[in-house]
Amino acid sequence: VEVQLFGDTHGNVVHFGTRDCSSQRRHQKLLEEAPAPFLDSDTREKIHAAAVAAAKSVGYSNAGTAEFLVRGREFYFLEINTRIQVEHPITEAITGVDLVELQLKVAMGEKLPFTQHEIQFQGHAIELRINAEDCRENFRPAVGSITAWKRPERTTAREDCGYQVGDTIPPFYDSLICKVIVHADTREQALARMSSALSETVVEGIQTNIPLHRELMHDAYFMDGGTNIHYLEGWLVQHKR
């Protein structure tokens, strides 16, 4: 579980809530949610407070993310990533704040334009990382040219892309080619909306992990109870991936 932080050069620090990044494979995140589901309100507020206190203790400024391991109502500090995160769009979705714009303003010396009490949270957001890899071949990186790409409707999903039709996926970089983000009033609605967006998404010319994401969106345990950091790799073994 991580907390999105922002500090300015005037001594102010605020948080933008939690994100759950437990769905990982080989310590690489594949799916993120905001706010982190299945935390009781007391534990959530304690995690918020710990993240803000850590940032204030070092005079932190600009965007940052405090990461914690959580077991039940206990949590343990891991680190602070001193940058904007790949999964920042889900925080933008539940707060309505453009974090990249805010990052630039703070870097220019401006004060944070709001207090903690003025930051409002609404609904639930999910982000999937679409990677160029072959799930049938132990997630071997996929290379080649994108020959077609059917995208979900913009009214139901946000898509942040680094590639388009005609581009070639090289073997030298991270396999991430785009992110799909949805927002809804509840987690159940967000899962349904993401499932719909995936049904509309087709990438041809290369292998991607879209089929895996489609299966996870219908996995009963994930839908009902979320996951821990070992769940996805155990699920892959069970399904012989």
Side-chain angles (χ1 to χ4, degrees), residues 8-10 62 102-112:
D8 61 26
T9 56
H10 305 274
N62 222 291
L102 183 61
Q103 185 178 32
L104 295 172
K105 288 182 176 180
V106 169
M108 292 188 290
E110 295 185 22
K111 287 185 177 181
L112 290 169

Side-chain angles (χ1 to χ4, degrees), residues 130 146 149 151 159-165 167-169 176-179:
I130 306 302
I146 301 173
W149 197 331
R151 292 182 157 90
E159 196 178 41
D160 291 0
C161 278
Y163 292 89
Q164 59 186 355
V165 174
D167 285 348
T168 298
I169 308 297
L176 179 65
I177 61 173
C178 80
K179 303 178 293 182

Side-chain angles (χ1 to χ4, degrees), residues 176-211:
L176 179 65
I177 61 173
C178 80
K179 303 178 293 182
V180 177
I181 304 101
V182 299
H183 178 241
D185 291 337
T186 67
R187 183 175 188 263
E188 292 75 17
Q189 291 171 345
L191 287 167
R193 183 163 291 181
M194 181 61 81
S195 181
S196 177
L198 286 172
S199 70
E200 300 172 5
T201 304
V202 179
V203 180
E204 297 180 356
I206 59 168
Q207 296 291 333
T208 72
N209 62 350
I210 291 174

